[in-house]
Each structure stands twice: as C-alpha cells, then as structure tokens.
Amino acid sequence: MEGEIYNFIVVWTIVLISLCYSHTIVKFFPNGKSRFVAIIPIVCLFFILPLYLTSINLGGTTSFFIAWLANFKILLFAFGKGPLSSIPPLPLSTFIPLACLPIKYQKYSPSDNVETTNSTLNLVTKITLLAILIRVYNYKDNLHPKLLLFCYCFHIYFFLEILLTMVSTMVQVASRAELEPPFDEPYKTSSLQNFWGKRWNLMVTNILRPTVYDPVRSLMLDQIPRKWAPLPAVLTTFFVSGLMHELIFYYISREKPSWEVTCFFIIHGVALSIEIMVKKLLNDKFLVPRFISGPLALGFIILTSFWLFFPPLLRGKPDVKGCNESIAFLEFVRYGKLVSPDNITCPFM
C-alpha cells in the first residue's frame, strides 16, 4: 500500500507537469498539426502512467481521469476545440482541473442553494443504498447469480455518483467549479437513444460527441444523404467507447482483453442505429408509448450487461479487491499504519 501511494503521488505530479506544458504550448504553436504533434507525447504518456498503479480505487480512477478524459480533451485542444480552448486562453488554475476532471464552469444563480440541498440529500441517499448493498454481499452465496449481477448494476451507479460528487465538492471549494452531472435518473429512460445520449455517464457522452461523433458525421455528410449521416457516427462512437472501456478494464484487472465489452458497445451501437433509422423512416409519428419503450430499453441494457459487460469486469474480483483496499485505507487513517490489502479479508465478500 505504501508503494502504491508513493506511485500515486509521482503519477499525479507528472500529470500536473504535463498539463502545465500543454497549457504553455498555446503560446508557441497555433491550432492544428503543429500543436497536435507537440501534444502527442503527452497523450502517449497519459496512456502509460496508469500502468504504474495497480489498485482499484487509485488506479481505476486515475486511468479514467487521464487516459480517457484528459487525453480526449487535450486532443480537442490541439485543434482549438473543446472545453480547454478559449479566447483569451484559460488561466492555468482553470486549465488543469478542467483537463483531467469531469467538471464544467458555470455561473451561480439564486437556485443554487436549493440545488445544493437536493444534491446533499441525493448523496446521503446514494451512500445509504450503497451501504445496504455492501451488507447484502455478505449473503452473496445465498443469492441467485442474476440477482447478484443486478445488484452490481446499482453498485456501479451509486459508486460513480458518490465518487464524482465528492470530486465536485473538493474542486468547487478550490475553484468554484461545478461537476457535470454524471447521470440524469437513467432508470427513467424512454429509449436507448434517451439512455445513452441524455441520461447515462453524461461526462463521457459530452467528450465523445465532439471527438468522435461530430467529426464522423461531418465526414459522412459528403458521402451519404444528410438524413443517414448520424448512423455511421453512432456506430463509430460506440466502437471507440468499447475500446476505451477495454483499456480501463485492463488497467484495473491487468488481464488480457476478451473483447466482450467492445462487443457490448457494438451491439448497442447497432441497436441505437436501428432505433434512429426507424424513427426517421416513420418521421417520429408512430412512437412506442414511453411506459413500454422505457422498460424494454432498460431490459435490453441489463440483459446485455449480464451477458457481455459484467463477466470481464468481475473476473479479476474487483469487488473483493476494492473492499480490501478501502479497509486498508481506513486502517491507515485510524491507526496511522499501512497494511497491505493482500493481508486483509473483506467481511462482506
């Protein structure tokens, strides 16, 4: 554990130096190829750095923040696009957190106090539900495997909301930034298009749209009728998302990719493309009622998750590993001594 904390400090020190470099080159390289060439070494470095972290909590979070979010944002920045591009240039104190964290800057309104209260209540609710789920794992041997996978669906949802809200709080105290909402009540979805585009993992959606979807769609406008240009863009976006999930899973488990996760996203890309095509053919006149389309979409998502998403994720037993790491950290906070997670047995697993 001590070595992991040391590596974590070193990795993030390198990340900060790299982002300072990325912020500085705007003075010497205009938008386009020259700035892209100057930034490529940083992109490669951000793909390599997570390999030096092996923990679920530190390594998994770091890989998502720098290998995915930071890399995609600075690639957009190389061409004068995305949240890091601004006239006048963003100050360094804004550039760094905006580059590697899922945040956005916005003006505060009188309703912010109400939203803060709702956010706090939402956070407490999610923490309570996650704690209940963890206690349920104590009886996992008596649970049906499919029911256990269903619990993992909620676990991922609750965990990401809690983690990102905590990051939001820390960043907001330091720089008055506000986190992009990671989810928008995905259980209320009305279709696959609504789920993936407006409700689930919005920070990833908001970074994939300008880096993958928009360029492919623009390219296709010259090749096929404008009406159908979104279809190859959707397929490409889901394929890229699948590859990035494979990479994040590798950082977490260090197991050879099985490509099941990529297949999961390709299947959803195809299904979403079919949904869009049908809607266009019918001109949105004959839509399935929401109370039918919503459960059908959620059912399809959950079933395909059981089939292709969770098996590669759970092979490395990240639930046990993450629990042991959390206990080791609590032991350090409580007693001031570092304990290897390998020497701890999680009581809930």
Side-chain angles (χ1 to χ4, degrees):
M1 190 67 181
E2 184 176 1
E4 182 75 358
I5 293 176
Y6 173 79
N7 288 343
F8 179 76
I9 294 173
V10 171
V11 164
W12 275 96
T13 299
I14 296 174
V15 170
L16 293 177
I17 294 172
S18 301
L19 291 176
C20 288
Y21 162 81
S22 300
H23 178 266
T24 303
I25 63 172
V26 70
K27 300 177 182 178
F28 306 100
F29 299 102
N31 300 338
K33 294 181 180 179
S34 58
R35 190 188 296 183
F36 174 75
V37 171
I39 274 179
I40 278 296
I42 303 301
V43 173
C44 296
L45 181 63
F46 281 4
F47 279 127
I48 295 172
L49 287 176
L51 295 174
Y52 291 92
L53 299 172
T54 58
S55 66
I56 296 292
N57 298 305
L58 299 181
T61 304
T62 296
S63 64
F64 175 66
F65 284 172
I66 66 173
W68 194 331
L69 294 184
N71 268 348
F72 278 55
K73 288 180 182 180
I74 62 176
L75 284 173
L76 284 173
F77 175 67
F79 296 97
K81 299 179 180 180
L84 300 180
S85 297
S86 175
I87 300 176
L90 295 173
L92 184 62
S93 59
T94 301
F95 185 91
I96 289 178
L98 189 59
C100 58
L101 297 176
I103 60 175
K104 64 178 179 179
Y105 288 84
Q106 63 181 26
K107 296 179 180 180
Y108 286 80
S109 64
S111 63
D112 285 335
N113 291 332
V114 176
E115 292 178 359
T116 300
T117 302
N118 292 335
S119 178
T120 302
L121 179 60
N122 181 58
L123 177 62
V124 172
T125 301
K126 295 297 190 303
I127 292 175
T128 303
L129 292 173
L130 182 59
I132 292 173
L133 270 180
I134 292 175
R135 294 300 301 180
V136 168
Y137 295 153
N138 201 30
Y139 307 95
K140 62 187 300 184
D141 293 337
N142 300 320
L143 296 176
H144 191 280
K146 298 300 182 184
L147 179 59
L148 192 60
L149 288 176
F150 193 71
C151 291
Y152 286 144
C153 290
F154 285 100
H155 190 133
I156 291 176
Y157 171 42
F158 296 149
F159 175 77
L160 288 176
E161 283 243 49
I162 293 168
L163 171 66
L164 296 173
T165 301
M166 292 173 64
V167 172
S168 173
T169 301
M170 291 186 290
V171 175
Q172 186 172 343
V173 170
S175 59
R176 299 291 288 176
E178 186 161 324
L179 193 72
E180 293 183 20
F183 304 97
D184 183 14
E185 299 179 315
Y187 46 85
K188 293 184 178 180
T189 189
S190 60
S191 65
L192 287 177
Q193 187 176 18
N194 180 253
F195 181 87
W196 289 115
K198 298 181 179 180
R199 293 191 179 276
W200 181 263
N201 215 348
L202 298 180
M203 75 203 77
V204 169
T205 299
N206 291 338
I207 200 64
L208 283 175
R209 184 177 290 113
T211 53
V212 182
Y213 177 85
D214 290 342
V216 173
R217 183 178 179 275
S218 297
L219 181 64
M220 289 296 104
L221 287 175
D222 296 329
Q223 310 295 326
I224 60 177
R226 184 182 188 89
K227 183 178 183 179
W228 306 116
L231 301 184
V234 166
L235 290 171
T236 305
T237 302
F238 273 84
F239 176 67
V240 171
S241 181
L243 293 179
M244 291 307 301
H245 277 83
E246 292 280 4
L247 182 63
I248 299 299
F249 280 21
Y250 176 76
Y251 287 137
I252 293 174
S253 67
R254 302 302 164 88
E255 294 187 0
K256 183 179 179 180
S258 64
W259 305 111
E260 291 166 277
V261 180
T262 301
C263 290
F264 169 84
F265 282 97
I266 290 175
I267 288 172
H268 277 266
V270 171
L272 179 52
S273 297
I274 294 173
E275 179 183 309
I276 294 173
M277 183 172 61
V278 171
K279 287 179 178 178
K280 288 182 177 294
L281 289 173
L282 298 177
N283 293 321
D284 291 332
K285 292 181 179 179
F286 303 99
L287 300 178
V288 179
R290 187 181 186 123
F291 71 89
I292 296 177
S293 63
L296 284 176
L298 285 176
F300 178 72
I301 293 163
I302 291 172
L303 288 176
T304 50
S305 297
F306 289 0
W307 174 32
L308 293 169
F309 188 86
F310 284 111
L313 175 64
L314 297 177
R315 283 189 193 114
K317 297 184 177 180
D319 49 349
V320 177
K321 189 177 179 181
C323 180
N324 292 345
E325 290 172 4
S326 299
I327 293 175
F329 177 76
L330 293 175
E331 289 289 320
F332 172 71
V333 172
R334 185 176 181 181
Y335 300 110
K337 62 179 181 179
L338 293 169
V339 181
S340 173
D342 296 333
N343 298 326
I344 295 175
T345 300
C346 182
F348 308 124
M349 301 294 175

